[in-house]
Amino acid sequence: MNIIVSSIFVQDQAKALAFYTEKLGFVKKEDVPIGKYRWLTLVAPNDQEGPELLLEPDEHPAAKDYQKRIFAEGIPATMFGVADIEKEYSSLLEKGVKFTIAPTKTGDVTIAVFDDTCGNLIQIIQR
């Protein structure tokens, strides 16, 4: 069994697409209109046949509530791995990304958390 698609709730798909491609460097894989929304997925530029991240509208009341509550509690919605967290942190800061937690060593890993501007906190991790 393999992970092929994982989703993240977003408040605005177009804004999320811009952030995740322009700031984070992901590549758009699928963009299919479905009513007033889109089946909109992204992949890592170095693994374009790998797992996809679905930018899913948070229109359902349960999704909105979940998203707001975990954000308010400071809980990241998902986690992305990076090879060099200090380099990634500096690069993202230069692009205007706002961090809530700067790179912090915790055990065998280093983490940082940023706001994706679409209702989520995202954690990056270097192992």
Side-chain angles (χ1 to χ4, degrees):
M1 190 174 306
N2 297 314
I3 297 171
I4 57 170
V5 176
S6 183
S7 64
I8 187 167
F9 293 118
V10 297
Q11 298 162 338
D12 179 312
Q13 286 184 298
K15 182 179 178 183
L17 177 61
F19 181 87
Y20 280 77
T21 57
E22 296 168 15
K23 305 279 186 186
L24 304 185
F26 287 102
V27 176
K28 181 169 61 170
K29 173 97 179 201
E30 301 284 339
D31 190 351
V32 180
I34 302 176
K36 72 180 205 176
Y37 302 108
R38 299 146 66 181
W39 177 264
L40 183 57
T41 67
L42 308 170
V43 291
N46 60 343
D47 191 11
Q48 294 190 25
E49 297 306 313
E52 298 175 40
L53 179 66
L54 174 64
L55 301 178
E56 189 166 355
D58 71 351
E59 286 302 306
H60 190 281
K64 281 188 184 300
D65 186 48
Y66 167 79
Q67 187 182 34
K68 286 179 185 175
R69 288 176 146 205
I70 65 169
F71 187 93
E73 293 291 327
I75 300 169
T78 196
M79 178 189 320
F80 301 134
V82 298
D84 184 335
I85 201 163
E86 292 294 341
K87 182 178 176 184
E88 196 71 41
Y89 176 73
S90 294
S91 174
L92 292 173
L93 281 177
E94 288 175 11
K95 294 176 183 177
V97 174
K98 306 289 186 213
F99 280 80
T100 60
I101 299 175
T104 304
K105 183 94 169 144
T106 69
D108 293 339
V109 300
T110 303
I111 64 165
V113 178
F114 63 86
D115 183 338
D116 78 349
T117 73
C118 302
N120 302 293
L121 295 175
I122 306 297
Q123 181 170 293
I124 56 175
I125 183 171
Q126 177 185 336
R127 294 180 183 223

